Amino acid sequence: MIAIQDPLGQLPPPASTFAGDVDSLFYFLVWVSLASFGVILAALVYSSVVHRRKTPDQAPVSNVTHNTTLEVVWTLIPTVVVMLAFAWGLKGNLAQQVAPADALQYRVEAEKWSWRFFHPGSTEVSQHLYVPVNKPVKMTMTSADVLHSFFVPAMRVKRDVVPGVRQIVWFQATELNPPVLDANGELAVDEFGNVQGGYDLFCAEYCGDQHSTMRAKVFVVTQEEFDAKPWDKLPDDPIARGEYYYRVKGGCSACHYSDRDDILVGPSFRGLWMREGRLKDGSSYVADEAYILESIRQPNAKVVAGDRWGDVSPMPAKSEQDLSAQEVGELIEWIKTLK
Ligand code: CUA
């Protein structure tokens, strides 16, 4: 199919090999809709003017009951158009699920409310996707809880992520869009906390409270930049690493604030260090290292009095593999700085 440009300015700039086909289908539907709108409106206006009651004594009758030719035409044409759109859409949908054999393999985990990306050959979780330009990349996606949807408008791909099912989508980026780095070599963010550079990746299936924050970036880099494995780069500073465990590896930020005192799903981490309080069983606790580590490993071991979840916390237990004791130690070092 010939790639049609974006004459009505409705689409983000194309950035993958799917854009030509998807955009052509999009504009096929737009033009067909506008054309039918025009034809129907013209018939309406014509009939209203030409067949209006011209004198007060004109009898309000018509002896026309049907017109076979007209009815066949207005049934057949839309049927053909709709079947064409269906076949075209189905073909494109299937094509996005069958990746070329040499595609790079990624694993994607969706969880309320964050994305966890595993790059080819890496076991380290990343918050953002790095893909090499002009190479097919294949995402094998699972959900830890509810329905989510992997949506990258610039790549023209969207695929639901369904619990209990492995969903596949692939794409091949055609335009470079690397991350913007700040003076320290970290990802630059603007005043609203938005990461600069890269293409937007959204969750496109309503999945609860923080659905709108379930976003990430797709960075398209050169093969050399990709080979340097930018996703594996952990900060040198242990406190900065602690924040990385909070935001990415541990996924804590999905349910715990760090910049205000409110409860999101669980308690805020601000001021958590050495916080004192009462437990459900009447005893007291102090949020020291042992308490925080236990609360991460066995969230229901100690339940704070007045906890809105009752006896069963929705917090998923994190094993040594999810977040090692050393990593929890660095997470705590970072928590100590939150005041
Ligand atoms: Cu995940 Cu919306």
Side-chain angles (χ1 to χ4, degrees):
M1 208 59 209
I2 314 146
I4 302 167
Q5 284 309 304
D6 187 13
L8 301 184
Q10 297 296 297
L11 300 164
S16 87
T17 53
F18 290 140
D21 200 34
V22 171
D23 296 4
S24 304
L25 174 55
F26 176 81
Y27 270 102
F28 168 74
L29 294 173
V30 168
W31 296 132
V32 163
S33 304
L34 285 178
S36 7
F37 174 73
V39 168
I40 292 167
L41 197 72
L44 182 75
V45 169
Y46 173 84
S47 306
S48 307
V49 173
V50 174
H51 301 300
R52 73 184 193 282
R53 198 178 184 191
K54 294 177 184 90
T55 53
D57 58 347
Q58 187 180 339
V61 287
S62 162
N63 55 6
V64 178
T65 57
H66 67 277
N67 181 321
T68 308
T69 312
L70 195 60
E71 285 167 25
V72 167
V73 167
W74 79 40
T75 306
L76 272 186
I77 291 179
T79 304
V80 169
V81 169
V82 167
M83 292 314 287
L84 196 63
F86 168 73
W88 194 344
L90 181 69
K91 186 169 149 280
N93 184 288
L94 293 176
Q96 296 197 350
Q97 294 174 53
V98 184
D102 62 341
L104 292 170
Q105 306 277 336
Y106 291 68
R107 199 154 56 79
V108 178
E109 291 175 4
E111 185 179 30
K112 287 192 287 184
W113 289 277
S114 57
W115 294 99
R116 299 156 58 81
F117 302 110
F118 296 86
H119 289 80
S122 173
T123 52
E124 203 60 61
V125 186
S126 176
Q127 192 177 11
H128 302 288
L129 264 182
Y130 290 81
V131 303
V133 70
N134 296 326
K135 281 273 170 62
V137 295
K138 176 183 173 184
M139 309 288 144
T140 302
M141 310 187 288
T142 53
S143 166
D145 37 48
V146 299
L147 278 175
H148 302 275
S149 187
F150 177 97
F151 181 34
V152 189
M155 301 298 162
R156 307 294 192 267
V157 292
K158 183 177 178 192
R159 189 99 180 108
D160 279 5
V161 185
V162 183
V165 177
R166 251 184 238 148
Q167 292 285 81
I168 307 280
V169 76
W170 75 279
F171 58 88
Q172 179 169 332
T174 54
E175 303 291 330
L176 283 173
N177 196 346
V180 177
L181 300 179
D182 64 17
N184 301 322
E186 309 278 343
L187 295 179
V189 291
D190 69 8
E191 55 188 311
F192 305 108
N194 294 315
V195 175
Q196 303 296 287
Y199 294 106
D200 289 316
L201 185 162
F202 300 104
C203 176
E205 187 76 62
Y206 180 68
C207 54
D209 276 14
Q210 303 295 313
H211 157 70
S212 62
T213 66
M214 200 168 158
R215 300 183 299 163
K217 283 288 178 134
V218 178
F219 298 122
V220 182
V221 296
T222 63
Q223 187 65 49
E224 293 76 55
E225 287 171 305
F226 187 80
D227 291 339
K229 304 190 174 193
W231 58 87
D232 264 347
K233 205 167 52 90
L234 280 186
D236 294 330
D237 175 21
I239 291 177
R241 279 203 299 271
E243 182 172 3
Y244 163 81
Y245 301 134
Y246 164 76
R247 293 197 190 284
V248 185
K249 192 167 188 195
C252 320
S253 60
C255 298
H256 301 274
Y257 284 128
S258 64
D259 55 356
R260 57 179 121 167
D261 295 331
D262 304 318
I263 287 175
L264 180 53
V265 176
S268 171
F269 281 3
R270 187 164 82 170
L272 171 67
W273 177 245
M274 290 313 231
R275 185 184 288 164
E276 292 177 30
R278 205 148 279 288
L279 295 174
K280 197 147 258 179
D281 63 12
S283 61
S284 56
Y285 74 93
V286 179
D288 56 13
E289 298 218 30
Y291 171 85
I292 292 175
L293 181 62
E294 184 186 51
S295 299
I296 290 171
R297 294 278 185 265
Q298 298 162 267
N300 289 304
K302 292 200 173 84
V303 179
V304 172
D307 181 275
R308 66 161 157 158
W309 300 104
D311 291 330
V312 183
S313 155
M315 157 97 187
K318 302 278 178 187
S319 67
E320 177 75 21
Q321 209 171 9
D322 297 324
L323 213 54
S324 73
Q326 158 143 20
E327 290 166 344
V328 171
E330 292 178 347
L331 173 67
I332 290 172
E333 287 309 309
W334 174 71
I335 288 175
K336 286 179 188 172
T337 68
L338 302 174
K339 298 214 169 82

